[in-house]
Amino acid sequence: DAGVIQSPRHEVTEMGQEVTLRCKPISGHDYLFWYRQTMMRGLELLIYFNNNVPIDDSGMPEDRFSAKMPNASFSNLKIQPSEPRDSAVYFCASSQGFWDTGELFFGEGSRLTVL
Amino acid sequence: GENVEQHPSTLSVQEGDSAVIKCTYSDSASNYFPWYKQELGKGPQLIIDIRSNVGEKKDQRIAVTLNKTAKHFSLHITETQPEDSAVYFCAADQSGGSYIPTFGRGTSLIVHP
């Protein structure tokens, strides 16, 4: 398997613009997670899905952030409008469930810079 | 919710030395404690994990210990090599045995040749 695939790897945008980050999880994985990584706050869980249904979005910082998972092979995270403080590396991760292992498989991340 | 504290934030060792990273957690209901390694420009990758019914687990040069009473757990790396240089994250699952990890802030390990 190719692993978790994220795009774009790098995004530079101006304040106020809409940003869309994309994720393709590992086939067969039932859970999908969006994390944000910054120096100040470390790795923060934003939202996670189980079988395409959002389970916990309490980590989404504010209404400017939204995430969807229209099918088992795709999710996106949108920021509208973007602000400089949204600059971070955003990771998507997937998991096959937790019956025998709790392992999360991370993508390589999308580095977002908002000017 | 769960709160995980990790120390130190930076650790510098000579090749061949041992490295120890320590974490504490707040929620006594947590049962699952994974450790992830993040290399530069990559996403975190699981290297070892431990469950609450076990006090210690080893895998070659790495070992984890867990003290549920004190709510402490640690990662031990022996005979460190330059390729061990990375950021290491500890985590504890959210309350209720969800296996959803809450991460520590990370430790940047530098192994000098």
Side-chain angles (χ1 to χ4, degrees):
Chain A
D1 201 313
V4 175
I5 300 173
Q6 292 188 245
S7 64
R9 292 294 313 278
H10 302 274
E11 173 93 3
V12 180
T13 191
E14 294 195 344
M15 183 173 64
Q17 296 298 305
E18 178 177 291
V19 173
T20 299
L21 308 178
R22 299 173 180 82
C23 175
K24 177 178 167 54
I26 293 172
S27 177
H29 281 192
D30 295 331
Y31 287 81
L32 184 140
F33 305 80
W34 282 100
Y35 282 89
R36 178 172 68 175
Q37 185 176 33
T38 61
M39 289 293 293
M40 291 295 294
R41 301 172 72 90
L43 266 171
E44 301 173 273
L45 177 63
L46 300 178
I47 184 171
Y48 78 93
F49 297 82
N50 178 212
N51 291 324
N52 312 339
V53 176
I55 303 301
D56 184 356
D57 66 354
S58 60
M60 296 286 260
E62 46 197 277
D63 291 345
R64 297 184 297 106
F65 286 69
S66 64
K68 286 185 167 56
M69 191 166 185
N71 57 62
S73 59
F74 177 74
S75 177
N76 63 29
L77 177 68
K78 286 190 178 184
I79 309 172
Q80 167 63 16
S82 58
E83 296 182 5
R85 60 194 167 117
D86 302 330
S87 297
V89 181
Y90 291 81
F91 286 101
C92 175
S94 70
S95 172
Q96 63 185 1
F98 304 108
W99 308 115
D100 59 348
T101 172
E103 183 171 6
L104 269 62
F105 294 82
F106 284 81
E108 296 201 322
S110 294
R111 180 176 294 277
L112 173 64
T113 303
V114 183
L115 303 174
Chain B
E2 178 66 277
N3 183 46
V4 178
E5 300 282 340
Q6 182 172 350
H7 300 280
S9 57
T10 306
L11 181 57
S12 183
V13 300
Q14 289 295 127
E15 183 176 0
D17 288 351
S18 294
V20 180
I21 302 170
K22 298 183 179 183
C23 292
T24 61
Y25 61 99
S26 60
D27 190 341
S28 57
S30 294
N31 287 313
Y32 175 64
F33 307 90
W35 287 86
Y36 283 79
K37 175 183 181 182
Q38 184 179 25
E39 297 178 343
L40 198 61
K42 299 281 182 75
Q45 185 173 10
L46 180 73
I47 55 171
I48 195 168
D49 58 16
I50 191 168
R51 285 168 171 75
S52 60
N53 58 345
V54 175
E56 184 175 359
K57 184 176 179 180
K58 283 186 179 180
D59 184 3
Q60 299 182 348
R61 295 186 297 108
I62 59 174
V64 290
T65 58
L66 171 65
N67 182 331
K68 279 222 76 178
T69 303
K71 293 190 275 188
H72 290 175
F73 57 116
S74 301
L75 176 72
H76 304 252
I77 307 174
T78 58
E79 301 171 24
T80 53
Q81 301 167 3
E83 52 264 39
D84 294 330
S85 297
V87 178
Y88 291 80
F89 292 93
C90 63
D93 68 330
Q94 297 175 0
S95 61
S98 70
Y99 286 90
I100 309 298
T102 296
F103 287 92
R105 293 288 300 275
T107 296
S108 178
L109 174 64
I110 303 165
V111 181
H112 298 280

